[in-house]
Coordinates of all heavy atoms in Angstrom, one line a residue:
M1 N 1.8 -70.8 -17.6 CA 1.8 -72.1 -16.8 C 1.2 -71.8 -15.5 O 1.4 -70.8 -14.9 CB 3.2 -72.7 -16.7 CG 3.3 -74.1 -17.0 SD 4.9 -74.8 -16.8 CE 5.8 -73.9 -18.0
P2 N 0.4 -72.7 -15.0 CA -0.4 -72.5 -13.7 C 0.7 -72.5 -12.5 O 1.6 -73.2 -12.5 CB -1.4 -73.6 -13.6 CG -1.1 -74.5 -14.7 CD 0.0 -74.0 -15.6
L3 N 0.2 -71.8 -11.5 CA 0.9 -71.7 -10.2 C 0.3 -72.6 -9.2 O -0.9 -72.6 -9.0 CB 0.9 -70.2 -9.8 CG 2.0 -69.8 -8.7 CD1 3.3 -70.0 -9.3 CD2 1.7 -68.4 -8.4
Y4 N 1.0 -73.5 -8.6 CA 0.5 -74.4 -7.6 C 1.0 -74.0 -6.2 O 2.2 -73.7 -6.0 CB 0.8 -75.8 -7.9 CG 0.1 -76.3 -9.2 CD1 0.8 -76.2 -10.4 CD2 -1.2 -76.8 -9.2 CE1 0.2 -76.6 -11.6 CE2 -1.8 -77.1 -10.4 CZ -1.1 -77.1 -11.6 OH -1.7 -77.4 -12.7
A5 N 0.1 -74.1 -5.2 CA 0.5 -73.8 -3.8 C 0.8 -75.1 -3.1 O 0.1 -76.1 -3.2 CB -0.6 -73.0 -3.2
F6 N 1.8 -75.0 -2.3 CA 2.2 -76.2 -1.4 C 2.3 -75.8 0.0 O 2.6 -74.6 0.3 CB 3.6 -76.8 -1.9 CG 3.5 -77.4 -3.2 CD1 3.7 -76.6 -4.4 CD2 3.2 -78.8 -3.4 CE1 3.6 -77.2 -5.6 CE2 3.2 -79.3 -4.7 CZ 3.4 -78.6 -5.8
R7 N 2.1 -76.7 0.9 CA 2.2 -76.4 2.4 C 2.8 -77.6 3.1 O 2.4 -78.7 2.9 CB 0.8 -76.1 3.0 CG 0.9 -75.8 4.5 CD -0.6 -75.7 5.0 NE -0.5 -75.6 6.4 CZ -0.7 -74.4 7.0 NH1 -0.9 -73.3 6.3 NH2 -0.7 -74.3 8.4
C8 N 3.9 -77.3 3.8 CA 4.6 -78.4 4.5 C 4.0 -78.6 5.9 O 3.3 -77.7 6.4 CB 6.1 -78.1 4.6 SG 6.6 -77.1 6.0
P9 N 4.3 -79.7 6.6 CA 3.8 -79.9 8.0 C 4.1 -78.8 8.9 O 3.4 -78.6 9.9 CB 4.4 -81.3 8.4 CG 4.8 -81.9 7.1 CD 5.1 -80.8 6.1
E10 N 5.2 -78.1 8.7 CA 5.6 -77.1 9.7 C 4.9 -75.8 9.4 O 5.0 -74.8 10.2 CB 7.2 -76.8 9.4 CG 8.1 -78.0 9.6 CD 8.1 -78.4 11.1 OE1 8.1 -77.5 12.0 OE2 8.1 -79.6 11.3
G11 N 4.1 -75.7 8.3 CA 3.3 -74.6 8.1 C 3.8 -73.6 7.0 O 3.3 -72.6 6.7
T12 N 5.0 -73.9 6.4 CA 5.6 -73.1 5.4 C 4.8 -73.3 4.1 O 4.5 -74.4 3.7 CB 7.0 -73.5 5.1 OG1 7.8 -73.4 6.3 CG2 7.7 -72.5 4.1
E13 N 4.3 -72.1 3.6 CA 3.6 -72.2 2.3 C 4.4 -71.5 1.2 O 5.1 -70.5 1.4 CB 2.3 -71.4 2.5 CG 1.4 -72.0 3.5 CD 0.0 -71.3 3.6 OE1 -0.1 -70.3 2.9 OE2 -0.8 -71.8 4.4
F14 N 4.4 -72.2 0.0 CA 5.1 -71.7 -1.1 C 4.5 -72.0 -2.4 O 3.6 -72.9 -2.4 CB 6.6 -72.1 -1.1 CG 6.7 -73.6 -1.0 CD1 7.0 -74.3 -2.2 CD2 6.6 -74.3 0.2 CE1 7.1 -75.7 -2.2 CE2 6.7 -75.7 0.2 CZ 7.0 -76.4 -1.0
D15 N 4.8 -71.4 -3.5 CA 4.2 -71.6 -4.8 C 5.3 -72.1 -5.7 O 6.4 -71.7 -5.7 CB 3.6 -70.3 -5.3 CG 2.5 -69.7 -4.5 OD1 1.8 -70.6 -3.9 OD2 2.4 -68.5 -4.4
R16 N 4.8 -73.0 -6.6 CA 5.7 -73.4 -7.7 C 4.9 -73.5 -9.0 O 3.7 -73.6 -9.0 CB 6.2 -74.9 -7.4 CG 7.2 -75.0 -6.3 CD 8.5 -74.7 -6.7 NE 9.5 -74.4 -5.6 CZ 10.1 -75.5 -4.9 NH1 9.8 -76.7 -5.3 NH2 10.9 -75.2 -3.9
T17 N 5.6 -73.3 -10.1 CA 5.0 -73.4 -11.4 C 5.3 -74.7 -12.1 O 6.5 -75.1 -12.1 CB 5.5 -72.2 -12.2 OG1 5.2 -71.0 -11.6 CG2 4.8 -72.2 -13.7
Y18 N 4.3 -75.4 -12.5 CA 4.4 -76.7 -13.2 C 3.5 -76.7 -14.5 O 2.4 -76.1 -14.4 CB 4.1 -77.9 -12.3 CG 5.1 -78.1 -11.2 CD1 4.8 -77.7 -9.9 CD2 6.2 -78.8 -11.5 CE1 5.7 -77.9 -8.9 CE2 7.1 -79.0 -10.4 CZ 6.8 -78.5 -9.1 OH 7.7 -78.8 -8.1
P19 N 3.9 -77.4 -15.5 CA 2.9 -77.7 -16.5 C 1.8 -78.6 -15.9 O 2.1 -79.3 -15.0 CB 3.7 -78.5 -17.5 CG 5.2 -78.3 -17.2 CD 5.2 -78.0 -15.8
M20 N 0.6 -78.4 -16.4 CA -0.6 -79.1 -15.8 C -0.4 -80.6 -15.8 O -0.8 -81.3 -15.0 CB -1.8 -78.8 -16.6 CG -2.4 -77.4 -16.3 SD -3.9 -77.2 -17.1 CE -4.7 -75.9 -16.2
S21 N 0.4 -81.1 -16.8 CA 0.5 -82.5 -17.0 C 1.6 -83.1 -16.1 O 1.7 -84.3 -15.9 CB 0.9 -82.9 -18.4 OG 2.1 -82.3 -18.8
E22 N 2.4 -82.2 -15.5 CA 3.6 -82.7 -14.7 C 3.5 -82.3 -13.2 O 4.5 -82.4 -12.5 CB 4.8 -82.2 -15.3 CG 5.1 -82.7 -16.7 CD 6.3 -82.0 -17.4 OE1 7.2 -81.5 -16.7 OE2 6.4 -82.1 -18.6
V23 N 2.4 -81.7 -12.8 CA 2.3 -81.2 -11.4 C 2.4 -82.4 -10.4 O 1.6 -83.3 -10.5 CB 1.2 -80.3 -11.2 CG1 -0.1 -81.0 -11.4 CG2 1.2 -79.7 -9.8
P24 N 3.3 -82.4 -9.5 CA 3.4 -83.5 -8.5 C 2.4 -83.2 -7.3 O 2.0 -82.1 -7.1 CB 4.8 -83.4 -8.0 CG 5.2 -81.9 -8.2 CD 4.5 -81.5 -9.3
A25 N 2.0 -84.3 -6.6 CA 1.1 -84.2 -5.5 C 1.9 -83.6 -4.3 O 1.3 -83.0 -3.4 CB 0.6 -85.5 -5.1
S26 N 3.2 -83.8 -4.2 CA 4.0 -83.3 -3.1 C 5.4 -83.0 -3.6 O 5.9 -83.6 -4.5 CB 4.0 -84.3 -2.0 OG 4.6 -85.5 -2.4
V27 N 6.0 -82.0 -2.9 CA 7.4 -81.7 -3.2 C 8.1 -81.5 -1.9 O 7.5 -81.3 -0.9 CB 7.5 -80.4 -4.1 CG1 6.9 -80.6 -5.5 CG2 6.9 -79.2 -3.4
D28 N 9.5 -81.4 -1.9 CA 10.2 -81.1 -0.7 C 10.1 -79.6 -0.4 O 10.3 -78.8 -1.2 CB 11.7 -81.5 -0.9 CG 11.9 -83.0 -1.0 OD1 11.0 -83.7 -0.6 OD2 12.9 -83.4 -1.6
C29 N 9.9 -79.4 0.9 CA 9.8 -78.0 1.4 C 11.2 -77.3 1.2 O 12.2 -77.9 1.6 CB 9.4 -77.9 2.8 SG 9.5 -76.3 3.6
P30 N 11.3 -76.0 0.7 CA 12.6 -75.4 0.6 C 13.1 -74.9 1.9 O 14.3 -74.7 2.1 CB 12.3 -74.2 -0.3 CG 10.8 -74.0 -0.2 CD 10.2 -75.3 0.1
A31 N 12.3 -74.8 2.9 CA 12.7 -74.3 4.2 C 13.2 -75.5 5.1 O 14.3 -75.4 5.7 CB 11.6 -73.6 4.9
C32 N 12.4 -76.6 5.2 CA 12.8 -77.6 6.2 C 13.1 -78.9 5.5 O 13.6 -79.8 6.2 CB 11.7 -77.7 7.3 SG 10.1 -78.4 6.6
G33 N 12.7 -79.1 4.3 CA 13.0 -80.3 3.6 C 12.0 -81.4 3.7 O 12.1 -82.5 3.1
A34 N 11.0 -81.2 4.5 CA 9.9 -82.1 4.7 C 9.0 -82.2 3.4 O 9.1 -81.3 2.6 CB 9.0 -81.8 5.9
T35 N 8.3 -83.2 3.3 CA 7.3 -83.4 2.2 C 6.2 -82.4 2.3 O 5.4 -82.5 3.3 CB 6.8 -84.8 2.1 OG1 8.0 -85.7 2.0 CG2 5.9 -85.0 1.0
A36 N 6.0 -81.5 1.3 CA 5.0 -80.5 1.4 C 3.9 -81.0 0.3 O 4.2 -81.3 -0.8 CB 5.5 -79.2 1.0
R37 N 2.7 -81.0 0.8 CA 1.6 -81.5 -0.1 C 1.0 -80.3 -0.8 O 1.0 -79.2 -0.3 CB 0.5 -82.2 0.8 CG 1.0 -83.5 1.3 CD -0.1 -84.3 2.0 NE -1.2 -84.5 1.1 CZ -1.3 -85.5 0.2 NH1 -0.3 -86.4 0.2 NH2 -2.4 -85.6 -0.5
R38 N 0.5 -80.6 -2.0 CA -0.1 -79.5 -2.8 C -1.5 -79.1 -2.2 O -2.2 -80.0 -1.7 CB -0.3 -80.0 -4.2 CG -1.0 -79.0 -5.1 CD -0.7 -79.4 -6.6 NE -1.1 -80.7 -7.0 CZ -2.2 -81.0 -7.7 NH1 -3.0 -80.0 -8.1 NH2 -2.4 -82.2 -8.0
R39 N -1.7 -77.8 -2.2 CA -3.0 -77.3 -1.6 C -3.9 -77.1 -2.7 O -3.6 -76.8 -3.9 CB -2.7 -76.0 -0.9 CG -1.8 -76.1 0.3 CD -1.4 -74.8 0.9 NE -2.7 -73.9 1.1 CZ -2.7 -72.6 0.9 NH1 -1.6 -72.0 0.4 NH2 -3.8 -72.0 1.1
M40 N -5.2 -77.2 -2.4 CA -6.2 -76.9 -3.4 C -6.4 -75.4 -3.3 O -6.5 -74.8 -2.3 CB -7.6 -77.6 -3.0 CG -7.5 -79.0 -3.2 SD -7.3 -79.4 -5.0 CE -6.5 -81.0 -4.9
S41 N -6.4 -74.8 -4.5 CA -6.5 -73.3 -4.6 C -7.2 -73.0 -5.9 O -7.2 -73.7 -6.8 CB -5.2 -72.6 -4.4 OG -4.4 -73.0 -5.4
A42 N -7.8 -71.8 -5.9 CA -8.4 -71.3 -7.1 C -7.3 -71.0 -8.2 O -6.2 -70.5 -7.8 CB -9.1 -70.0 -6.8
P43 N -7.5 -71.4 -9.4 CA -6.5 -71.0 -10.4 C -6.4 -69.6 -10.5 O -7.4 -68.8 -10.5 CB -7.1 -71.7 -11.6 CG -8.4 -72.2 -11.4 CD -8.6 -72.1 -9.8
R44 N -5.1 -69.1 -10.7 CA -4.9 -67.6 -10.8 C -5.0 -67.2 -12.3 O -3.9 -66.9 -12.9 CB -3.6 -67.3 -10.2 CG -3.5 -67.7 -8.7 CD -2.3 -67.4 -8.1 NE -2.2 -68.0 -6.8 CZ -1.3 -67.8 -5.9 NH1 -0.3 -66.9 -6.1 NH2 -1.3 -68.3 -4.7
L45 N -6.2 -67.3 -12.8 CA -6.3 -67.0 -14.2 C -6.2 -65.5 -14.5 O -6.0 -65.1 -15.7 CB -7.7 -67.5 -14.7 CG -7.9 -69.0 -14.6 CD1 -9.3 -69.4 -15.0 CD2 -6.8 -69.8 -15.4
S46 N -6.4 -64.6 -13.5 CA -6.3 -63.2 -13.8 C -5.0 -62.7 -14.3 O -4.9 -61.7 -15.0 CB -6.8 -62.4 -12.5 OG -5.8 -62.7 -11.5
V47 N -3.9 -63.4 -13.9 CA -2.6 -63.0 -14.3 C -2.1 -63.8 -15.5 O -0.9 -63.6 -15.9 CB -1.6 -63.0 -13.1 CG1 -2.0 -62.1 -12.1 CG2 -1.5 -64.4 -12.6
A48 N -2.9 -64.8 -16.0 CA -2.4 -65.7 -16.9 C -2.0 -65.1 -18.2 O -1.1 -65.5 -18.9 CB -3.4 -66.8 -17.2
G49 N -2.6 -63.9 -18.6 CA -2.3 -63.3 -19.9 C -1.4 -62.1 -19.8 O -1.2 -61.4 -20.8
S50 N -0.9 -61.9 -18.6 CA 0.0 -60.7 -18.3 C 1.3 -60.8 -19.1 O 1.7 -61.9 -19.5 CB 0.1 -60.4 -16.9 OG 1.0 -61.4 -16.3
A51 N 2.0 -59.7 -19.2 CA 3.3 -59.7 -19.9 C 4.3 -60.5 -19.1 O 5.1 -61.2 -19.8 CB 3.8 -58.2 -20.0
A52 N 4.2 -60.5 -17.8 CA 5.2 -61.3 -17.0 C 4.9 -62.8 -17.3 O 5.9 -63.6 -17.4 CB 5.0 -61.0 -15.6
Y53 N 3.7 -63.2 -17.4 CA 3.5 -64.6 -17.6 C 3.8 -65.0 -19.0 O 4.2 -66.2 -19.3 CB 2.0 -65.0 -17.3 CG 1.9 -65.6 -15.9 CD1 2.2 -64.8 -14.7 CD2 1.6 -66.9 -15.7 CE1 2.2 -65.4 -13.5 CE2 1.5 -67.5 -14.5 CZ 1.8 -66.7 -13.4 OH 1.8 -67.3 -12.1
R54 N 3.6 -64.1 -20.0 CA 3.9 -64.5 -21.4 C 5.4 -64.6 -21.4 O 5.9 -65.6 -22.1 CB 3.5 -63.4 -22.3 CG 2.0 -63.4 -22.7 CD 1.7 -62.6 -23.9 NE 2.1 -61.2 -23.8 CZ 1.4 -60.2 -23.3 NH1 0.2 -60.5 -22.8 NH2 1.8 -59.0 -23.2
L55 N 6.2 -63.8 -20.7 CA 7.6 -64.0 -20.7 C 8.1 -65.3 -20.1 O 8.9 -66.0 -20.6 CB 8.3 -62.8 -20.0 CG 9.8 -62.9 -19.8 CD1 10.5 -62.9 -21.1 CD2 10.3 -61.8 -18.9
I56 N 7.4 -65.6 -19.0 CA 7.8 -66.9 -18.3 C 7.4 -68.1 -19.2 O 8.2 -69.0 -19.3 CB 7.0 -67.0 -16.9 CG1 7.6 -66.0 -16.0 CG2 7.1 -68.4 -16.4 CD1 6.8 -65.8 -14.7
D57 N 6.2 -68.0 -19.8 CA 5.8 -69.1 -20.7 C 6.7 -69.3 -21.9 O 7.1 -70.4 -22.3 CB 4.4 -68.9 -21.1 CG 3.4 -69.3 -20.0 OD1 3.8 -69.9 -19.0 OD2 2.2 -68.9 -20.2
S58 N 7.1 -68.1 -22.5 CA 8.0 -68.3 -23.7 C 9.4 -68.7 -23.3 O 10.0 -69.5 -24.0 CB 8.0 -66.9 -24.4 OG 8.7 -65.9 -23.6
T59 N 9.9 -68.3 -22.1 CA 11.2 -68.8 -21.7 C 11.1 -70.3 -21.4 O 12.1 -71.0 -21.7 CB 11.6 -68.0 -20.4 OG1 11.6 -66.6 -20.6 CG2 13.0 -68.4 -19.9
T60 N 10.1 -70.7 -20.8 CA 9.9 -72.2 -20.5 C 9.8 -73.0 -21.8 O 10.3 -74.0 -21.9 CB 8.7 -72.4 -19.5 OG1 8.9 -71.6 -18.4 CG2 8.8 -73.9 -19.1
A61 N 9.1 -72.3 -22.7 CA 8.8 -73.1 -24.0 C 10.0 -73.3 -24.8 O 10.2 -74.3 -25.5 CB 7.8 -72.3 -24.8
T62 N 11.0 -72.4 -24.7 CA 12.3 -72.6 -25.4 C 13.0 -73.9 -24.9 O 13.7 -74.5 -25.7 CB 13.2 -71.4 -25.3 OG1 13.5 -71.1 -23.9 CG2 12.6 -70.2 -25.9
A63 N 12.8 -74.2 -23.6 CA 13.4 -75.4 -23.1 C 12.7 -76.7 -23.5 O 13.3 -77.7 -23.9 CB 13.5 -75.4 -21.6
H64 N 11.4 -76.6 -23.6 CA 10.5 -77.7 -23.9 C 10.3 -77.9 -25.4 O 10.3 -79.0 -25.9 CB 9.2 -77.7 -23.2 CG 9.2 -77.8 -21.7 ND1 9.6 -78.9 -21.1 CD2 9.0 -76.9 -20.8 CE1 9.6 -78.7 -19.8 NE2 9.3 -77.5 -19.6
E65 N 10.1 -76.8 -26.1 CA 9.7 -76.8 -27.5 C 10.6 -75.8 -28.3 O 10.2 -74.8 -28.7 CB 8.3 -76.5 -27.7 CG 7.3 -77.2 -26.8 CD 6.1 -76.4 -26.5 OE1 5.9 -75.3 -27.0 OE2 5.3 -76.8 -25.6
P66 N 11.9 -76.2 -28.5 CA 12.7 -75.2 -29.2 C 12.3 -75.1 -30.6 O 11.8 -76.0 -31.2 CB 14.1 -75.9 -29.2 CG 13.9 -77.3 -28.8 CD 12.6 -77.4 -28.0
Q67 N 12.3 -73.8 -31.2 CA 11.9 -73.6 -32.5 C 12.8 -74.2 -33.5 O 14.0 -74.2 -33.3 CB 11.8 -72.1 -32.7 CG 10.7 -71.4 -31.9 CD 10.6 -69.9 -32.3 OE1 11.4 -69.4 -32.9 NE2 9.5 -69.3 -31.8
V68 N 12.3 -74.8 -34.5 CA 13.1 -75.5 -35.5 C 13.4 -74.6 -36.6 O 12.6 -73.8 -37.1 CB 12.3 -76.7 -36.1 CG1 13.0 -77.4 -37.2 CG2 11.9 -77.7 -35.0
V69 N 14.7 -74.6 -37.0 CA 15.2 -73.7 -38.1 C 15.0 -74.5 -39.4 O 15.4 -75.6 -39.5 CB 16.6 -73.3 -37.9 CG1 17.1 -72.6 -39.1 CG2 16.8 -72.6 -36.6
T70 N 14.3 -73.8 -40.3 CA 14.0 -74.5 -41.6 C 14.9 -74.0 -42.7 O 14.9 -74.5 -43.8 CB 12.6 -74.2 -42.0 OG1 12.3 -72.9 -42.1 CG2 11.6 -74.9 -41.0
S71 N 15.7 -72.9 -42.5 CA 16.6 -72.5 -43.5 C 17.8 -71.9 -42.9 O 17.8 -71.6 -41.7 CB 15.9 -71.4 -44.4 OG 15.6 -70.3 -43.6
L72 N 18.9 -71.8 -43.6 CA 20.1 -71.2 -43.1 C 19.9 -69.7 -42.8 O 19.2 -69.0 -43.6 CB 21.2 -71.4 -44.1 CG 21.7 -72.8 -44.3 CD1 22.7 -72.9 -45.4 CD2 22.2 -73.4 -43.1
P73 N 20.4 -69.2 -41.7 CA 20.3 -67.8 -41.4 C 21.0 -67.0 -42.5 O 22.1 -67.3 -42.9 CB 21.0 -67.6 -40.0 CG 21.7 -68.9 -39.7 CD 21.2 -69.9 -40.7
G74 N 20.3 -65.9 -42.9 CA 20.8 -65.0 -43.9 C 20.7 -65.5 -45.3 O 21.0 -64.8 -46.3
A75 N 20.3 -66.8 -45.5 CA 20.2 -67.3 -46.9 C 18.8 -66.9 -47.5 O 17.8 -67.5 -47.1 CB 20.4 -68.8 -47.0
G76 N 18.8 -65.9 -48.3 CA 17.5 -65.4 -48.8 C 17.2 -66.2 -50.1 O 17.9 -67.2 -50.4
P77 N 16.2 -65.8 -50.8 CA 15.8 -66.5 -52.1 C 16.9 -66.3 -53.2 O 17.0 -67.2 -54.0 CB 14.5 -65.7 -52.5 CG 14.4 -64.6 -51.7 CD 15.2 -64.7 -50.5
R78 N 17.7 -65.3 -53.1 CA 18.8 -65.1 -54.1 C 20.1 -65.8 -53.6 O 21.1 -65.8 -54.3 CB 19.0 -63.6 -54.4 CG 17.9 -62.9 -55.0 CD 18.1 -61.4 -55.0 NE 18.0 -60.9 -53.7 CZ 18.9 -60.0 -53.2 NH1 20.0 -59.7 -53.8 NH2 18.7 -59.6 -51.9
G79 N 20.1 -66.3 -52.5 CA 21.3 -66.8 -51.9 C 22.1 -65.7 -51.3 O 23.2 -65.9 -50.8
G80 N 21.7 -64.6 -51.3 CA 22.0 -63.3 -51.0 C 23.2 -62.9 -50.2 O 24.3 -63.5 -50.2
A81 N 23.0 -61.9 -49.4 CA 24.2 -61.3 -48.6 C 24.7 -62.3 -47.6 O 25.9 -62.2 -47.3 CB 23.7 -60.1 -48.0
G82 N 23.9 -63.2 -47.1 CA 24.4 -64.1 -46.0 C 25.1 -65.3 -46.6 O 25.8 -66.0 -45.8
A83 N 25.1 -65.5 -47.8 CA 25.8 -66.7 -48.4 C 27.3 -66.5 -48.5 O 27.7 -65.7 -49.3 CB 25.2 -67.1 -49.8
R84 N 28.0 -67.1 -47.6 CA 29.4 -66.9 -47.6 C 30.1 -68.1 -48.3 O 29.7 -69.2 -48.0 CB 29.9 -66.7 -46.2 CG 29.6 -65.3 -45.7 CD 30.1 -65.1 -44.3 NE 29.0 -65.8 -43.4 CZ 29.1 -66.1 -42.1 NH1 30.2 -65.9 -41.5 NH2 28.1 -66.6 -41.5
V85 N 31.1 -67.9 -49.0 CA 31.8 -68.9 -49.7 C 33.2 -69.1 -49.0 O 33.9 -68.2 -48.8 CB 32.0 -68.6 -51.2 CG1 32.8 -69.7 -51.9 CG2 30.7 -68.4 -51.9
T86 N 33.5 -70.4 -48.7 CA 34.8 -70.6 -48.2 C 35.7 -71.3 -49.2 O 35.2 -72.0 -50.1 CB 34.7 -71.5 -46.9 OG1 36.0 -71.8 -46.4 CG2 34.0 -72.8 -47.3
R87 N 37.0 -71.0 -49.1 CA 38.0 -71.6 -50.0 C 38.7 -72.7 -49.4 O 39.5 -73.3 -50.1 CB 38.9 -70.5 -50.5 CG 38.2 -69.3 -51.1 CD 38.0 -69.5 -52.6 NE 37.5 -68.3 -53.2 CZ 36.3 -68.2 -53.8 NH1 35.5 -69.3 -53.9 NH2 35.8 -67.1 -54.3
N88 N 38.6 -72.9 -48.1 CA 39.3 -74.0 -47.4 C 38.8 -75.4 -47.9 O 37.6 -75.7 -47.7 CB 39.1 -73.8 -45.9 CG 40.0 -74.7 -45.1 OD1 40.4 -75.8 -45.6 ND2 40.4 -74.2 -43.9
P89 N 39.7 -76.2 -48.4 CA 39.3 -77.5 -48.9 C 38.8 -78.4 -47.8 O 38.0 -79.4 -48.1 CB 40.5 -78.1 -49.6 CG 41.7 -77.3 -49.1 CD 41.1 -76.0 -48.7
L90 N 39.2 -78.2 -46.6 CA 38.8 -79.0 -45.5 C 37.2 -78.8 -45.2 O 36.5 -79.7 -44.7 CB 39.5 -78.8 -44.2 CG 41.0 -79.2 -44.2 CD1 41.7 -78.7 -43.0 CD2 41.1 -80.7 -44.4
H91 N 36.7 -77.6 -45.5 CA 35.3 -77.4 -45.3 C 34.4 -78.2 -46.2 O 33.2 -78.4 -45.9 CB 35.0 -75.8 -45.5 CG 35.7 -75.0 -44.4 ND1 35.7 -73.7 -44.5 CD2 36.3 -75.4 -43.3 CE1 36.3 -73.2 -43.4 NE2 36.7 -74.2 -42.7
Q92 N 35.0 -78.7 -47.3 CA 34.2 -79.5 -48.2 C 33.8 -80.9 -47.5 O 32.8 -81.5 -47.9 CB 35.0 -79.9 -49.5 CG 35.3 -78.7 -50.3 CD 34.0 -78.0 -50.8 OE1 33.1 -78.7 -51.3 NE2 34.0 -76.7 -50.8
K93 N 34.5 -81.3 -46.5 CA 34.2 -82.5 -45.8 C 33.2 -82.3 -44.7 O 32.7 -83.4 -44.2 CB 35.5 -83.0 -45.2 CG 36.6 -83.4 -46.2 CD 37.8 -84.0 -45.5 CE 38.9 -84.4 -46.6 NZ 40.1 -84.8 -46.0
L94 N 32.8 -81.1 -44.4 CA 31.8 -80.9 -43.4 C 30.5 -81.3 -43.9 O 30.1 -81.3 -45.1 CB 31.8 -79.4 -43.0 CG 33.0 -78.9 -42.3 CD1 32.9 -77.4 -42.1 CD2 33.2 -79.5 -41.0
P95 N 29.6 -81.8 -42.9 CA 28.3 -82.3 -43.4 C 27.4 -81.1 -43.9 O 27.5 -80.0 -43.4 CB 27.7 -82.9 -42.1 CG 28.5 -82.3 -41.0 CD 29.9 -82.0 -41.5
R96 N 26.6 -81.4 -44.9 CA 25.8 -80.4 -45.5 C 24.3 -80.5 -45.0 O 23.9 -81.6 -44.6 CB 25.7 -80.6 -47.0 CG 27.1 -80.4 -47.7 CD 27.5 -78.9 -47.7 NE 28.9 -78.9 -47.9 CZ 29.6 -77.8 -47.6 NH1 29.0 -76.8 -47.1 NH2 30.9 -77.8 -47.8
P97 N 23.6 -79.4 -44.8 CA 22.2 -79.5 -44.4 C 21.3 -80.2 -45.4 O 21.7 -80.2 -46.6 CB 21.8 -78.1 -44.2 CG 22.8 -77.2 -44.9 CD 24.1 -78.1 -45.1
Ligands
ZN1 ZN1 8.8 -76.7 5.7

């Protein structure tokens, strides 16, 4: 995700990361609380593919785009080792996938 630079009227400069579609034109300054406007800066593409950025992007992606589970964990083609059977009759009333 791109890094955007902001500067408040007091001169405090700071960076924030936003998705390109959601970047605001101004945010509150963390130091003084005044409205800090976004600065025009060159995109920092040199670090975009680094391990640190992949970690940040994947961490953020879990919040925005959680991976969908298509099968029960441990349930192999044979119904295998992960298929546990319960004998409790109340479990029959639980919703089935
Ligand atoms: Zn400030």
Side-chain angles (χ1 to χ4, degrees):
M1 230 182 293
L3 197 62
Y4 294 94
F6 294 87
R7 181 189 173 98
C8 85
E10 303 291 322
T12 305
E13 297 181 359
F14 56 99
D15 297 328
R16 291 276 167 82
T17 302
Y18 290 100
M20 281 182 160
S21 59
E22 298 174 19
V23 59
S26 61
V27 296
D28 290 341
C29 172
C32 67
T35 300
R37 295 189 52 88
R38 180 158 55 103
R39 296 172 53 216
M40 289 298 153
S41 59
R44 301 180 189 188
L45 298 176
S46 61
V47 294
S50 69
Y53 261 67
R54 283 197 303 273
L55 175 62
I56 291 170
D57 283 347
S58 67
T59 304
T60 308
T62 58
H64 292 292
E65 311 150 5
Q67 293 184 347
V68 178
V69 175
T70 56
S71 63
L72 293 173
R78 295 171 288 131
R84 283 175 281 166
V85 177
T86 177
R87 304 271 185 242
N88 190 329
L90 293 175
H91 291 172
Q92 295 297 319
K93 296 180 178 177
L94 292 174
R96 298 286 160 202

